[in-house]
């Protein structure tokens, strides 16, 4: 037996989610559509042998390192895995670059998850519009940064060390721009029972006051209304409103006992909107355009380091270990960055909550109101900490990196089955000038 029932939730209700699944469906279709063009690529692109034959050997050389894993068949057996793993873990430059990318991944995934919530609370926007603005800034900024980073590395023909220096420079610029969150600390609008008294009655920290004590309001039903006095209320019930009318899909409440009234106001329909209307009060903070502009630049410089770092990782390890190096990088990036990132950001943002949802059983639920100033400062603290780690390890990688000495045999670098018939040697003249 199937029971059908309807839920009285409309689009202006803060619990309204809408068709959230459409975006996932479109992304799924787009991802699968890319399989067809990828299947059309050959196993090896034309001209690969010639490109490899002209490439400069830039593998990082440790003082204590010996190229003992240079046999032609090394890496073809599972028995070689411990040795290859030990070799990579002992590559100080590689590990520094991995840690720096993990630190960047922590803040990028954290902001990608919670940036809409930050914009919504700081600037008093709806959840849907805040998410739209966040996506309009994050996605184009990340794409543009990746493309610019790749173009500059390619056009300037950067060496391995210069690529790391370029990544260090972009990280420094992004570090300076990340203080935009301090600039965007808009103060909370007046909220009855939280930051403002009920027309001079009640006390802060308690939503119940003498004007609504007989209404039996539910703390679990959050439906904000903006009073004519410029103060926001938790719900029409907590504002003491007894009646409402709908005007152009917007509910207007009147006969509200908790809202200060003008003694000269007459109870006519024209004055009903002076009582309260559904939704949050309009935020008077005008910093949103500047904030989005600086944030867009921050994202561009943050992602500009992505391609140079990946290129540097591929160049600072031996050719036969490049696939394993990328695998280790992404494994540590997930463990140290993308997985803990949203968790850390979520706990940090929750620590700035000043009004929690309390259900009928007294259990705490989601947060309704945050301390905007504290939230901005906490996010800046996370950003500065992670950016400092990124800059330190990028700089340490530049300091530690040493190109192959002039008498180094480059046979390991050139044992590629695709170009096995081509005699390849390191361009030692170029190596001498690198760094």
């Amino acid at each position: 037996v199937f029971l059908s029932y309807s839920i009285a939730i409309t689009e202006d209700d803060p619990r309204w989610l809408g068709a959230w699944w459409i975006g996932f469906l479109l992304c799924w279709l787009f991802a699968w559509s890319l399989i067809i063009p990828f299947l059309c690529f050959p196993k090896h692109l034309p001209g690969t042998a010639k490109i490899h034959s002209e490439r400069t050997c830039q593998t990082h050389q440790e003082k204590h390192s010996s190229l003992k894993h240079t046999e032609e068949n090394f890496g073809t057996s599972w028995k070689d895995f411990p040795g290859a793993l030990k070799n990579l873990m002992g590559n100080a430059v590689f590990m520094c670059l991995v840690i720096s990318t993990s630190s960047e991944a922590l803040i990028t995934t954290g902001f990608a998850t919670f940036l809409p919530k930050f914009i919504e609370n700081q600037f008093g926007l709806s959840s849907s519009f805040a998410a739209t603005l966040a996506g309009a800034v994050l996605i184009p900024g990340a794409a543009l940064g990746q493309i610019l980073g790749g173009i500059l590395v390619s056009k300037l023909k950067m060496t391995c060390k210069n690529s790391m220096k370029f990544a260090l420079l972009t990280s420094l610029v992004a570090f300076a721009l990340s203080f935009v969150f301090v600039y965007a600390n808009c103060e909370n609008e007046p909220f009855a029972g939280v930051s403002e008294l009920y027309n001079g009655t009640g006390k802060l920290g308690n939503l119940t006051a003498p004007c609504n004590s007989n209404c039996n309001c539910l703390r679990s039903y959050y439906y904000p209304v903006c009073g004519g006095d410029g103060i926001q209320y938790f719900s029409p019930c907590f504002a003491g409103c007894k009646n409402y009318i709908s005007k152009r899909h917007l509910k207007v409440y009147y006969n509200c006992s908790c809202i200060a009234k003008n003694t000269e106001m007459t109870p006519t329909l024209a004055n009903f909107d002076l009582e309260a209307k559904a939704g949050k009060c309009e935020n008077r903070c005008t910093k949103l355009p500047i904030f989005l502009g600086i944030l867009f630049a921050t994202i561009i410089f943050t992602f500009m380091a992505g391609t140079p770092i990946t290129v540097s990782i591929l160049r600072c390890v031996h050719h036969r270990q490049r696939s394993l190096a990328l695998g280790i990088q992404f494994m540590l990036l997930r463990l140290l960055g993308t997985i803990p990132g949203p968790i850390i950001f979520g706990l940090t943002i929750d620590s700035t909550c000043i009004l929690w949802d309390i259900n009928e059983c007294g259990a705490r639920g989601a947060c309704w109101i945050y301390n905007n100033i504290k939230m901005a400062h906490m996010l800046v603290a996370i950003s500065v900490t992670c950016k400092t780690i990124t800059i330190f390890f990028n700089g340490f990688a530049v300091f530690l990196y040493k190109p192959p000495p002039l008498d180094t045999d480059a046979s390991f670098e050139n044992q590629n089955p695709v170009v096995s018939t081509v005699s390849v040697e390191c361009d030692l003249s170029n190596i001498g000038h690198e760094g």
Side-chain angles (χ1 to χ4, degrees):
V1 178
F2 295 95
L3 299 177
S4 62
Y5 60 93
S6 61
I7 301 176
I9 297 179
T10 58
E11 294 183 11
D12 61 341
D13 194 301
R15 297 170 295 175
W16 176 268
L17 295 178
W20 56 268
W21 48 271
I22 293 180
F24 290 94
L25 179 61
L26 293 177
C27 291
W28 175 77
L29 292 174
F30 178 73
W32 274 96
S33 65
L34 294 177
I35 293 178
I36 298 176
F38 274 116
L39 290 176
C40 298
F41 282 96
K43 184 176 182 181
H44 303 293
L45 294 176
T48 302
K50 181 180 178 181
I51 294 174
H52 278 277
S53 65
E54 298 174 351
R55 180 174 297 169
T56 302
C57 176
Q58 301 179 52
T59 302
H60 168 65
Q61 298 296 309
E62 300 275 4
K63 289 183 179 180
H64 61 276
S65 174
S66 61
L67 298 178
K68 56 183 179 180
H69 297 307
T70 59
E71 298 85 2
E72 182 177 356
N73 295 325
F74 178 78
T76 59
S77 173
W78 283 101
K79 296 184 296 183
D80 300 328
F81 180 78
L85 187 62
K86 181 180 179 181
N87 192 299
L88 284 176
M89 292 298 182
N91 189 328
V93 175
F94 167 72
M95 293 305 300
C96 285
L97 295 177
V98 169
I99 294 175
S100 70
T101 55
S102 300
S103 177
E104 285 290 90
L106 190 148
I107 55 176
T108 53
T109 55
F111 277 117
T113 304
F114 291 100
L115 183 61
K117 181 179 287 292
F118 177 83
I119 296 176
E120 174 188 355
N121 287 274
Q122 291 289 336
F123 304 103
L125 303 177
S126 64
S127 299
S128 58
F129 188 55
T132 302
L133 287 179
V137 172
L138 285 172
I139 297 176
L144 184 59
Q146 290 274 17
I147 294 173
L148 287 177
I151 291 176
L152 290 176
V153 169
S154 176
K155 294 298 182 182
L156 299 179
K157 301 185 183 301
M158 296 182 184
T159 60
C160 182
K161 193 164 191 174
N162 287 339
S163 296
M164 288 187 283
K165 290 180 179 179
F166 177 76
L168 177 61
L169 176 62
T170 57
S171 298
L172 287 170
V173 176
F175 172 81
L177 293 175
S178 62
F179 286 93
V180 65
F181 290 94
V182 174
Y183 171 80
N185 54 356
C186 301
E187 294 185 359
N188 294 80
E189 294 296 319
F191 197 106
V194 178
S195 60
E196 195 79 14
L197 295 176
Y198 283 90
N199 194 19
T201 63
K203 60 180 181 179
L204 297 181
N206 190 357
L207 294 177
T208 303
C211 60
N212 59 26
S213 58
N214 297 326
C215 299
N216 296 322
C217 302
L218 296 177
R219 177 78 178 268
S220 59
Y221 179 66
Y222 179 60
Y223 191 91
V225 295
C226 182
D229 53 359
I231 300 176
Q232 185 173 312
Y233 297 84
F234 188 85
S235 67
C237 181
F238 279 102
C241 300
K242 300 177 178 62
N243 306 97
Y244 74 91
I245 59 173
S246 295
K247 299 176 62 176
R248 296 180 181 179
H249 303 289
L250 178 65
K251 291 182 179 179
V252 178
Y253 297 86
Y254 58 100
N255 288 339
C256 303
S257 58
C258 293
I259 300 178
K261 300 178 178 62
N262 191 336
T263 56
E264 299 179 357
M265 186 177 68
T266 57
T268 61
L269 184 62
N271 291 323
F272 284 160
D273 57 349
L274 297 177
E275 293 267 2
K277 60 181 180 179
K280 299 178 180 179
C281 294
E282 294 183 5
N283 194 291
R284 292 183 287 269
C285 185
T286 59
K287 301 175 182 178
L288 180 60
I290 300 177
F291 167 74
L292 292 179
I294 300 177
L295 179 63
F296 184 71
T298 306
I299 295 171
I300 290 177
F301 280 99
T302 297
F303 281 87
M304 279 181 69
T307 300
I309 289 294
T310 302
V311 171
S312 300
I313 288 176
L314 292 175
R315 289 178 177 178
C316 75
V317 301
H318 296 305
H319 181 79
R320 284 190 171 274
Q321 292 184 304
R322 288 177 178 175
S323 298
L324 180 60
L326 290 180
I328 293 176
Q329 179 205 5
F330 281 99
M331 181 190 70
L332 294 179
L333 186 142
R334 298 292 187 271
L335 293 177
L336 303 178
T338 58
I339 293 177
I343 298 175
I344 294 174
F345 270 72
L347 293 175
T348 302
I349 292 177
D350 279 349
S351 67
T352 66
C353 182
I354 55 179
L355 181 62
W356 290 93
D357 174 26
I358 306 296
N359 62 18
E360 294 86 344
C361 299
R364 194 177 74 175
C367 180
W368 295 126
I369 305 295
Y370 296 91
N371 185 324
N372 289 348
I373 304 297
K374 186 178 179 181
M375 180 192 292
H377 289 172
M378 294 293 284
L379 293 185
V380 168
I382 297 178
S383 301
V384 169
T385 302
C386 292
K387 288 291 184 182
T388 302
I389 294 174
T390 298
I391 292 171
F392 174 79
F393 281 100
N394 279 345
F396 202 45
V398 173
F399 174 77
L400 292 176
Y401 175 79
K402 294 179 178 61
L406 296 178
D407 57 348
T408 298
D409 181 15
S411 59
F412 184 93
E413 185 74 16
N414 305 313
Q415 288 178 359
N416 186 349
V418 180
V419 294
S420 57
T421 59
V422 181
S423 177
V424 185
E425 295 182 356
C426 293
D427 188 349
L428 300 181
S429 61
N430 289 341
I431 296 176
H433 297 291
E434 184 179 346

